[in-house]
Amino acid sequence: MSLTTPTTLSPAVFTTVVSRLRAAGCVFAEDEARLLLSTGHTGAELDALVSLRVNGLPLEHVLGWAEFCGHRIAVDPGVFVPRPRTEFLVTHALALAAARQPGAVVLDLCCGSGAAATVLGTRLPGIELYAADVESAAVRCARRNVEPVGGTVFEGDLYAPLPTAIRGRVDVLIANAPYVPTDDIPLLPSEARDHEPRVALDGGADGLDVQRRVTAQAARWLAPGGSLLIETSERQAQRTIAAMVRGGLTARLEEDEETGATVAVGSLPR
């Protein structure tokens, strides 16, 4: 059956889309089909979207958005796709920022699409919100997400582009820095390996190069009692904790068995 004529959500069209997605190896073909059908308003549009997906483009890049913490986050082609496991980090960041209200200063480094910052800005109106990323496409995308909720996004390497006025004032610092070891990049799914920026994935030989740079300077930017949250992996967690301690922070781990998420939390003593 051709999808090149205007269609409605009929069983025949749904079955056709599911079959094409399954043949391409999409594990959640039915769920993806529903999303694609809700986005493609004509047969030609739907056919184009399905073709992009079966050719390996991440679903979020095909749709133009990702669901994250119950919010739709704009995600442009070539931009890192926010992962569900990062919602665990955001949950802890929300609690810490709420405890520092009113007027908590929140910073999202390596922000990608700005998903974490967007959720924080939406859920906690009145926070002073900043985000930064080194990758130009990510910054353009993040500005679309973060600026409408009152945040400001900077382009540059970690702390370098940030205004000095917030140094020593940050209550909650999020850093979902890349932590995949370089030699493991070829083992990633093709959706990530081929369609997301290398700079958002590659953490160096042991995966912790960027994390170490974040933790080395965090104490200069945090307010007394402020916290740094870094997503890491179970196998790298103790080294992430050690980097935080070397940076002058007291550190602990938060783990979620259901999602496998691991977050290191470092606090600057008051």
Side-chain angles (χ1 to χ4, degrees), residues 106-131:
V106 176
L107 170 61
D108 182 4
L109 287 184
C110 306
C111 70
S113 64
T118 301
V119 174
L120 284 155
T122 302
R123 304 272 185 91
L124 298 173
I127 64 172
E128 192 175 331
L129 180 62
Y130 303 91

Side-chain angles (χ1 to χ4, degrees), residues 80 83 85 176-189 192-193 196-212 230-236 239-240:
F80 181 80
R83 281 23 176 197
R85 65 175 172 269
N176 189 12
Y179 56 92
V180 179
T182 301
D183 289 347
D184 289 353
I185 296 293
L187 306 178
L188 292 175
R193 189 179 66 243
E196 294 181 315
R198 179 84 176 225
V199 70
L201 301 170
D202 193 339
D206 67 353
L208 303 181
D209 283 359
V210 183
Q211 289 189 8
R212 280 189 285 266
I230 295 181
E231 181 176 293
T232 188
S233 71
E234 184 179 6
R235 66 173 177 164
Q236 295 163 308
R239 283 174 287 168
T240 303

